[in-house]
Amino acid sequence: MPKINVAVLPDRMPPRSPDAPPGVAVVIDVLRATTMMAALLDAGAAGIRAVRSMNEARSMKAREPSVLLAGERGGLAPDGFDMGNSPAGIDPELVRGRTVVLTTTNGTRAVEMVPASMPCLMLSLTNLDAVAERVRTLGADTLIVCSGTDGGRSSEDELAAGLLVDRLRTWTMTDTAEDTADLATGSIGASGGIEAALRRSFHAERLVGLGFDADVRFCAQLSVTRTVPALNRRSGLIVPG
Ligand code: 3SL
């Protein structure tokens, strides 16, 4: 059976030996970057370029003015950006057919930190079952990478990670993967549902405080899309996989 592991933060990814088979990485930033990626593709975006810095994003726009700039710092759209990081606020008229350059504090950083040899898929609660099916079909050792929040662990990322592991219980699980699955199912039971569990996170409270309650509700939806954003290593674009 393939092995499933969870890195609770990007810098806790286990070291890889150069001759190891590539496996698959699944990056999660439930609030809100990977949910945003699936929602942008669902709204018709041609592709997403995930970059770590705002400078990088702005120079891409300078080189290629047709791209849209999206993202956040401190949860809010940076000056001059076409949109923030709000999946509930996407304007399909604006994004249809366009390439979106996305930069966020934690999620796009996590994508960049995945070793270039690994195929990379994006998980959110909204596409959980679609990603689980994809991973099962690929049948390769899988590393789930939680983006975390400002260097600390994120309960909402670990919730989604645990639900993915829970769907792959027949696989060989590392101790971290098994603990994550048990904690996720336990926390949903104790909270009375996924949205309630998500709302208990520090990050959800912060977003609600910034006026993004609709995003928290959006991000809490379970398996409402079949879109599996995947990083195309040749073009550098995240597209439906
Ligand atoms: O840090 C990130 O990648 C963001 O998703 C955080 S926020 O929810 O948009 O503030």
Side-chain angles (χ1 to χ4, degrees):
M1 273 296 170
K3 186 173 87 179
I4 186 148
N5 192 9
V6 176
V8 293
L9 286 170
D11 36 31
R12 304 255 189 106
M13 280 189 266
R16 292 175 52 76
S17 71
D19 50 350
V24 176
V26 176
V27 172
I28 312 175
D29 186 23
V30 168
L31 296 173
R32 296 169 287 175
T34 52
T35 308
M36 179 71 171
M37 290 173 194
L40 282 168
L41 295 175
D42 283 343
I48 300 157
R49 205 170 281 282
V51 299
R52 198 188 282 211
S53 78
M54 288 200 290
N55 279 348
E56 229 179 321
R58 289 197 167 108
S59 15
M60 277 183 186
K61 175 94 178 173
R63 280 200 304 274
E64 209 181 316
S66 64
V67 303
L68 294 170
L69 292 187
E72 59 69 40
R73 286 299 179 270
L76 303 175
D79 278 349
F81 272 41
D82 299 289
M83 69 188 100
N85 189 33
S86 181
I90 293 172
D91 174 1
E93 295 297 314
L94 178 66
V95 305
R96 193 166 300 126
R98 309 278 293 273
T99 296
V100 179
V101 177
L102 180 70
T103 178
T104 69
T105 314
N106 308 283
T108 57
R109 171 177 173 268
V111 173
E112 272 200 14
M113 287 174 74
V114 170
S117 58
M118 294 182 89
C120 180
L121 308 177
M122 316 300 155
L123 173 71
S124 50
L125 292 170
T126 58
N127 69 358
L128 183 81
D129 285 331
V131 173
E133 280 167 37
R134 182 66 49 83
V135 165
R136 210 177 286 121
T137 305
L138 292 169
D141 286 355
T142 298
L143 174 65
I144 305 174
V145 182
C146 300
S147 299
T149 304
D150 304 335
R153 293 172 60 167
S154 273
S155 60
E156 71 276 9
D157 291 345
E158 292 178 36
L159 183 74
L163 291 178
L164 180 58
V165 175
D166 194 49
R167 281 157 172 72
L168 298 163
R169 287 262 188 197
T170 53
W171 285 25
T172 305
M173 293 179 274
T174 62
D175 289 348
T176 313
E178 193 166 357
D179 288 350
T180 310
D182 292 344
L183 281 171
T185 47
S187 131
I188 291 166
S191 309
I194 289 185
E195 183 167 343
L198 184 67
R199 283 184 181 278
R200 287 169 64 160
S201 69
F202 155 78
H203 195 155
E205 277 177 22
R206 186 169 82 179
L207 288 173
V208 170
L210 288 170
F212 294 118
D213 191 78
D215 277 337
V216 176
R217 207 172 322 121
F218 189 104
C219 295
Q221 302 173 94
L222 190 65
S223 299
V224 291
T225 175
R226 303 293 306 163
T227 299
V228 178
L231 177 58
N232 180 317
R233 295 279 181 196
R234 247 179 261 149
S235 65
L237 282 178
I238 294 169
V239 291

